[in-house]
Each structure stands twice: as C-alpha cells, then as structure tokens.
Amino acid sequence: MASPVTGKQPPAPSLAARERMVLNLAHRGVRGGVIEPHRSMLVLPEARRRLVTSSILALTFLVGVALSLGPLGRFWLLLVERAHESLGFASIVDVREFNLFGVLSFNLPVLGIQAAIPDGRTLLIATAITGAILLVTLALRGRLIPVAYFLRAMVVIQATAIFYFAVWGAHFPYRLPGFFVGLLTSGLLVIGLVPLLLGFTYYIYDVTWTKKIGLTAAILAHLAIFIPLQAMVIAYLIIHLSLVVMPVLFLMFGLVLDVMIFVAFYGWGMSWDGVLGEERRRR
Amino acid sequence: MKIVILIPLLIIVGIVLVYTARHYLFTINRLFGRHRQPYVDIGTATWPSVVVFVPAHNEERVIAGVIEALLAVDYPAEQLVIMVVNDRSTDNTKAIVDDYTARFPRQVKAYHRTEGRPGKAAALGEACELAQGEVHLVFDADYLPGRGLIKQLVAPFFDPEVGVVMGRVVPLNVSRSLLTRLLDLERSGGYQVDQQARMNLGLLPQYGGTVGGVRRAALEAVGGWRADSLAEDTDMTYRLKLAGWEVVYQNRSECYEEVPENWPTRIRQIKRWARGHNQALVRYAGPLLRRPVHLRRMVVLDGLLLLGVFAVGPLLLIGWGLALSLYYLGFGLEESIMAILAITAYSTLGNFAAFFEVATAARLDGSRERIRLLPFLVFGFLVSMVSVTTGTIAQIVGAIRGHDHEWEKTERYRGTPAEPAPTRGAG
C-alpha cells in the first residue's frame, strides 16, 4: 500500500523476510497468541547454513589462536616470572622454543628447579595421609557419596604413586622442568581445541554472533590466565611435597580441570537464550 | 612392555571414540534431522482393546496415583482394562488395589502374586497369561500418565509391523536434590536426543519397560516375557527386533516418573540396570552379529553399541588403569607430543560428546538454567562408572558361584503411605 503522506510504495520485503512473516502467521492462534511447537518437535532450521558459518567461525578462531601463540608464550613467561618471585622459588626461569608444523615458532617458560624424589619418611607421611583420606571417605554418606568417590579415585592414584616410589623411586621418568612444560603444552592443546569444540557444539545454535564470540573469548582468556598459574601451583606443591604427589596432581588437577572449566563455560553459554526463543517471545 | 599396554589402551580409546561419534551423530540428527513420530496425532479411530499392566511390589505410596491417572485417560473405557500385578507386597498395596477393583470391577483388575520367581519379568509373564487385549501396555507404579497418553502409545500399533512402542520418561521430582536435577539432565539426553535420533535414523530405539508396551501377537510370537530376564525391557526389544518386528519411540508421549532422590538408591538402580543389560549383551550379541536378513548393518551396529553401553564403564576404568601404567613407564608428557594429544583427545572429545548431547536435550526441553549444572555431571558419571563396574564384577562372580540374582526394588518418595480410600467415586 502507498504511504498516505509521501504517496510512495514501501520497498517489497525480501524473500527471507516474507518467509519469516508466513512462519509467524503459521504460529498464530485465533486470538493472535503464539502457538509454541511441542518440545519433542523442536529443531534448528537452516542446517547447511549453520554448519558452514559455524565452521568458518571456528576456523577463524583457530587461526587467531595459532597466530597468538607467540604473544601468549610471552604473556605466560611474564606470569610465570611474577609467580616465581612471589612463591620464592630458588631458581631461574628459562624459555624453550617450540615449533608448530614447521610454520609457527613460539617460546614457553621452563622452571629451572628440581623437586626431590620422596625419601622413606616422606612416603610414610604420604601413606598416613592417604590412609586418613580413605577413612574419611568411609564416613562420607548420603549426598556426599560423589565426593567420597572422587576422593577414593585420588587415594587410588596416590597409593600407586607411593607404591611406585617405594619400589622404583629413582626410575621415575619425569622431572619438574619437563613436567612443567608438559602441563603448558597440554594446556595449549586444550586452548587450540576450544574453537573446534565450540564450532561443532555451540556455534550451530541460534545464539547471536556477539554471544558466540563473547563466550569463545571468555573461555580463551580464562584458560590463558589459568593454565600458567595452575602449573605454578602444581609446581609449588611438588617442590614442597616431593615428586610423590606429581601423578595425582597431573591426572586429577591438570588437564581434567582445564576441560571441566571449559565444560562449565559451555554450560553457561548453552543456558543463554537464542534468537529463535527471543523471536517467539516478541511474537 | 609399553607396547603390551599401549595396544589394549588404543583399542579402548577406539571404542570410546566410536561411542563419541555416535553421540555427536545422534545430537546433530536430533537438531537438524527429519523427525519420525508415526501416528502420534490420531484422535479418532477404531481403537484396539488394551490392557495396562501396573507391576507393583510394596507400592502403597504411589499405587493409587497411577490407577487414578489411568482411570482418567481419554481412551474408550470399554476397550481399556487396568491390571495391577501385585507382586508379593507386604505393605498396604493389596488393600488399596482391592478397594479399586471393588469400586471399578470392569476397569480395574488385580493379580495378586504370593509366590514364584521374584521380579517384574516373572510377574508380567504370569499376568499376561490371564489377560486379553490386543495391546499390552506397562506402567511402573510411580508413573503418572497424562490424559491422552494411552492413545498416543497405542496409535503406532495401527502399523502391523510395529511390535513394541516406547514413550518418553520425564522426572517428576526434579527439584528435590542435586542428584534429581542431574538425573533429569541425563534422562533428557537419553530420550530427547538419543532415543529420538535412533528413531529418526531407523536404528534401534529401546523399549524401556514402562510408558510403552507390546503387541500381544508379537509377544506371543517370541514366546512371551522371559521370567529369568534381569532387564525384561532390553530383552524384549532385542527379541522382537531379531524376530522382525519394528520398535517405535514416541518422543511426544511423555509420562512423569520418580527418579531416585539419594545416591544409595541410584547406585542400586544402576547396578540392577547393568546386570540386566550385561545379561542381554551375552544373550543377543551373537544373534545380532549373525545378522538376520531383515536387519541393516547400521541397525546391527547400533544394536551392538546399545547392548555394550554398560560395558563402557568397566572399559573406561581399565583404560585409566592402563594409562596410569603407561604414565609410570614414562610414556608421554615429556617425550611424545602425540601421547599428550591422545590423552587430550581422550579426555576432552571423548567425554565432551555426552555433555553436548545432554546440553542440547536440556536446551530443547527449555530447561536452560539447569544446563549450568553440566560440570556436576562428572560426579554422576564417576559414580555410575564405579557402580556399573562393581555390579558387573558381582554378576560375574555370582555366575561363577552359581548364585541367583536377588531382586531389588527402587525406593519411592511421594507423600506418606496412602490410605486405602482414594478420592474417586465409583464409576
């Protein structure tokens, strides 16, 4: 219809806009309310477009992460040096150069400090503490049962470590400097996996681009700060408690913790409303 | 030495990755795929005669609720019989049921068992011999079927190839504890995504023993319920599928149930499921692998993966044991970037697929805020993994010693013990 003021015809809506209008009308009840589809029938429209755009965004972030490895290594060096000073480590912080597929090179900090192999007294104390934790788990009942299971998993790993050091102590294949770098490189791999995982499990959803980019940036930023500090805390504990705690710290508070941080962020992002939900409410 | 440990570890990682791929495929299909919900909207038809079985063992807290709900459904009354199978109850269940049979003699029947093999399968087997009806539905005593549910569950049987139908189970007591919230998330993933995707892809949805039922002709064709079955639902799913009947899952046919509110009950439930599933694995893996001509390869693969789902827990524990051994032997971390990559992939992609599935399901369900509990699922997984493993070990030891399985009932929570004088007047 022409405008009564200007006499001009309004521009014809695009095909996509017309499709949205028809869809809108199709979901209207006789009184104008919105007929929501039953949850068993909800699907995401435009699968191909979503998969393509998700892949593009994931690849963009992946390239961004790869290009940031150099600055990230320098940032981690800075953090480690500061923490190193604060924790009073009697050593120097060195750097080790890494090369990614022969294309990208970057440096990671290395701690120049060794941790002691546990002696007999340390192993006895460790055994006593491990036994005490096991006894505590036997007292945990009701809603604390999952905590008991988690502590028992720790006890099992710690018991294997005590046994190993009691029998083959000197043959333990890891030393603190290499372990520290290992924690940082595995952390880098988690950071590299973040865009790929989100690409296939989050970007496909109907959340806005701002939210997708914001969530990715939040996870990457959090891990970028957390991973070197986590490595420093683990190193601090190993230096003061000896290598006997290295297995349990690596297996239960290393990579697994990083992944759980990602899962927590992912859960938070998945709880955000999507475009389709917002549109439905507006209707 | 390292290679001796590495090979089985890689096999386990390979199996885990197959399950991972399955989770991703199912979730993507659920989000973008074409949905199959056959005949779910039929409202007017010549409805077949239906017997709804309600197995009950000491269910005084909940039995009146399910009978009341079934009496209120919109299925033609002359075609519907409610048969409560009172399996050796020692509480007030018998009195409550008898009260209903006295007031609704045509609609409500009772079969009181006082002896015989314990367990749902045995009870159903005996009760079915006494019942007529073209379709036999089953509801556990703690379920609350909605008004239109019976029609929705019966409608797929208009297709003569359909032998068994399953509806969706939705927890009623979600807000009671962290555990109930986590179980809601798990159930959501299992039904909203997993079952529906298998239905969409023409694979093998599972009959879950409640909120569903079987065609009597199909039941008789495969020899009825097996009294020695520990998981009569899984057992029936595979027997019917192997015999050429179709299994239908109706995602829209929702029914509320009580989920365990405390961890000990949950652990007992998981162990019971594991024992039943393992028994089905031993019984039906061979026949599936021989692949009857009517089964596609993908159906066989899906059937095997479904049968093996409770074997993954022990496998994962073995995998972690092997990984720990390799760690002490000095494989990885400092020496090999590939080992770190493998461990990273194992602990992220492998586990993350399940989170993706659950989060997707909860989002589709509109339970968005509950998705924030996602990290806590790890505790649920840990408890399940250990429970399944200990349950499996106990089963193997029991089988070697020749011990019979002892039936365990799931605890109920709703209200206080019910009075034998329900609210509904005689009809």
Side-chain angles (χ1 to χ4, degrees):
Chain A
M1 183 192 287
S3 165
V5 181
T6 61
K8 287 181 182 172
Q9 291 285 342
S14 67
L15 183 63
R18 271 182 285 170
E19 279 177 356
R20 273 203 300 277
M21 285 161 64
V22 170
L23 192 69
N24 191 354
L25 286 171
H27 287 90
R28 291 277 178 194
V30 288
R31 294 179 193 276
V34 177
I35 306 169
E36 293 281 354
H38 189 266
R39 60 184 177 180
S40 65
M41 295 175 168
L42 284 176
V43 288
L44 284 177
E46 304 167 321
R48 199 167 296 168
R49 183 187 64 80
R50 284 173 191 281
L51 291 173
V52 170
T53 53
S54 298
S55 305
I56 291 169
L57 188 58
L59 281 174
T60 308
F61 265 112
L62 194 61
V63 171
V65 167
L67 293 175
S68 307
L69 286 175
L72 186 65
R74 287 194 292 278
F75 174 63
W76 283 9
L77 177 63
L78 189 73
L79 271 184
V80 168
E81 280 175 341
R82 290 284 168 85
H84 186 265
E85 277 174 35
S86 306
L87 294 171
F89 286 177
S91 68
I92 53 156
V93 179
D94 204 354
V95 289
R96 188 185 293 179
E97 188 177 344
F98 287 81
N99 204 298
L100 194 64
F101 308 120
V103 181
L104 287 165
S105 66
F106 57 97
N107 295 323
L108 287 179
V110 185
L111 284 184
I113 188 169
Q114 291 292 347
I117 290 172
D119 54 16
R121 184 171 163 274
T122 309
L123 288 178
L124 272 178
I125 295 169
T127 307
I129 294 171
T130 307
I133 293 173
L134 182 63
L135 287 177
V136 167
T137 68
L138 297 176
L140 296 177
R141 295 178 189 281
R143 69 177 66 174
L144 293 175
I145 282 178
V147 179
Y149 275 56
F150 179 78
L151 289 175
R152 280 176 206 164
M154 278 179 65
V155 164
V156 168
I157 295 171
Q158 191 53 52
T160 62
I162 292 168
F163 177 76
Y164 183 93
F165 280 103
V167 180
W168 301 288
H171 299 285
F172 189 61
Y174 310 106
R175 293 294 177 265
L176 187 55
F179 171 74
F180 186 82
V181 172
L183 278 179
L184 295 183
T185 47
S186 60
L188 273 186
L189 282 166
V190 174
I191 287 178
L193 281 172
V194 166
L196 289 179
L197 281 175
L198 289 178
F200 291 107
T201 62
Y202 189 70
Y203 298 161
I204 54 174
Y205 281 98
D206 58 322
V207 288
T208 59
W209 285 86
T210 324
K211 285 177 179 169
K212 288 174 187 173
I213 294 167
L215 182 73
T216 314
I219 298 174
L220 291 175
H222 187 95
L223 289 175
I225 296 169
F226 178 80
I227 286 167
L229 297 181
Q230 173 196 30
M232 284 303 286
V233 170
I234 289 177
Y236 180 84
L237 291 172
I238 291 171
I239 288 166
H240 286 83
L241 302 173
S242 85
L243 287 171
V244 76
V245 294
M246 185 190 274
V248 77
L249 289 175
F250 170 61
L251 293 168
M252 300 203 73
F253 298 99
L255 211 55
V256 173
L257 191 57
D258 301 342
V259 173
M260 292 323 298
I261 287 170
F262 171 76
V263 171
F265 269 104
Y266 177 73
W268 184 40
M270 283 291 276
S271 73
W272 296 343
D273 202 0
V275 177
L276 295 176
E278 285 166 4
E279 273 183 9
R280 268 190 221 114
R281 268 199 302 280
R282 275 202 298 275
R283 287 202 301 257
Chain B
M1 183 64 178
K2 285 179 188 173
I3 199 77
V4 175
I5 297 172
L6 187 62
I7 290 171
L9 178 61
L10 286 177
I11 291 171
I12 290 172
V13 170
I15 293 170
V16 171
L17 288 177
V18 170
Y19 276 97
T20 299
R22 178 173 172 265
H23 278 302
Y24 275 114
L25 176 70
F26 284 177
T27 312
I28 293 294
N29 174 275
R30 175 61 188 83
L31 281 173
F32 298 115
R34 189 172 175 190
H35 283 216
R36 291 177 64 213
Q37 304 203 16
Y39 303 116
V40 73
D41 284 324
I42 290 180
T44 306
T46 306
W47 294 99
S49 56
V50 171
V51 180
V52 180
F53 293 92
V54 184
H57 174 67
N58 292 340
E59 304 283 9
E60 64 179 4
R61 288 179 174 231
V62 291
I63 192 69
V66 67
I67 298 174
E68 284 287 324
L70 285 167
L71 285 169
V73 298
D74 65 357
Y75 204 78
E78 66 281 6
Q79 292 291 74
L80 181 70
V81 170
I82 301 158
M83 180 174 269
V84 182
V85 185
N86 171 28
D87 187 13
R88 299 163 300 118
S89 295
T90 52
D91 64 355
N92 213 19
T93 303
K94 183 176 184 299
I96 297 169
V97 173
D98 284 344
D99 180 68
Y100 273 100
T101 56
R103 288 192 292 131
F104 304 94
R106 210 212 63 75
Q107 290 137 293
V108 183
K109 311 279 183 195
Y111 172 59
H112 297 293
R113 275 185 104 210
T114 52
E115 55 188 13
R117 194 182 184 114
K120 191 169 161 184
L124 277 174
E126 287 176 22
C128 279
E129 288 175 13
L130 306 172
Q132 299 300 309
E134 294 167 64
V135 173
H136 288 185
L137 297 182
V138 182
F139 283 89
D140 283 349
D142 59 320
Y143 281 62
L144 293 170
R147 210 169 164 270
L149 186 63
I150 303 298
K151 278 187 178 177
Q152 286 184 345
L153 290 175
V154 171
F157 288 108
F158 286 124
D159 181 340
E161 289 187 70
V162 172
V164 58
V165 172
M166 176 69 198
R168 181 180 171 186
V169 175
V170 181
L172 174 70
N173 50 339
V174 180
S175 58
R176 296 302 294 266
S177 63
L178 174 66
L179 173 61
T180 55
R181 290 183 173 91
L182 295 180
L183 288 178
D184 178 56
L185 286 173
E186 276 187 27
R187 294 275 201 284
S188 193
Y191 286 99
Q192 177 71 287
V193 172
D194 214 272
Q195 287 268 57
Q196 182 61 53
R198 272 187 263 150
M199 181 67 196
N200 294 345
L201 294 164
L203 299 174
L204 183 54
Q206 190 189 357
Y207 167 61
T210 182
V211 196
V214 294
R215 185 190 296 277
R216 188 169 155 215
L219 188 66
E220 288 172 354
V222 296
W225 301 99
R226 277 184 75 154
D228 62 346
S229 172
L230 300 176
E232 84 297 340
D233 43 8
T234 312
D235 188 272
M236 187 53 69
T237 305
Y238 281 87
R239 281 162 66 204
L240 288 174
K241 193 71 183 177
L242 284 163
W245 295 91
E246 287 300 324
V247 183
V248 165
Y249 170 68
Q250 293 283 45
N251 198 27
R252 199 166 140 193
S253 309
E254 297 175 358
C255 186
Y256 289 101
E257 65 146 0
E258 278 191 349
V259 288
E261 290 183 8
N262 58 61
W263 289 96
T265 309
R266 170 64 177 162
I267 289 169
R268 281 196 297 276
Q269 186 185 53
I270 281 276
K271 284 184 178 178
R272 182 160 53 83
W273 287 353
R275 283 193 291 263
H277 228 82
N278 291 338
Q279 184 191 54
L281 173 67
V282 172
R283 280 181 180 168
Y284 301 113
L288 264 181
L289 282 168
R290 286 193 286 277
R291 195 165 78 87
V293 286
H294 65 275
L295 290 185
R296 290 183 293 124
R297 281 194 174 78
M298 285 307 289
V299 175
V300 171
L301 177 63
D302 181 53
L304 288 170
L305 289 173
L306 184 63
L307 276 178
V309 88
F310 278 89
V312 172
L315 268 182
L316 274 175
L317 272 186
I318 293 169
W320 281 111
L322 293 170
L324 193 61
S325 307
L326 275 182
Y327 171 78
Y328 284 122
L329 286 170
F331 187 89
L333 207 61
E334 290 174 68
E335 301 173 13
S336 165
I337 195 80
M338 284 311 292
I340 297 173
L341 193 65
I343 293 170
T344 310
Y346 184 54
S347 41
T348 52
L349 292 166
N351 294 333
F352 189 67
F355 291 113
F356 175 41
E357 182 177 290
V358 167
T360 296
R363 200 174 163 85
L364 288 169
D365 275 347
S367 316
R368 284 190 290 108
E369 291 190 357
R370 202 166 298 138
I371 309 176
R372 292 177 195 159
L373 292 174
L374 216 52
F376 292 95
L377 276 177
V378 169
F379 289 111
F381 291 163
L382 179 64
V383 171
S384 295
M385 189 168 68
V386 175
S387 305
V388 166
T389 306
T390 51
T392 303
I393 291 169
Q395 186 177 23
I396 293 168
V397 171
I400 292 167
R401 289 183 176 173
H403 288 175
D404 206 1
H405 166 71
E406 194 176 320
W407 184 257
E408 285 166 355
K409 179 186 150 48
T410 305
E411 191 181 335
R412 306 287 185 225
Y413 308 93
R414 199 185 311 154
T416 50
E419 295 296 320
T423 53
R424 177 179 287 267

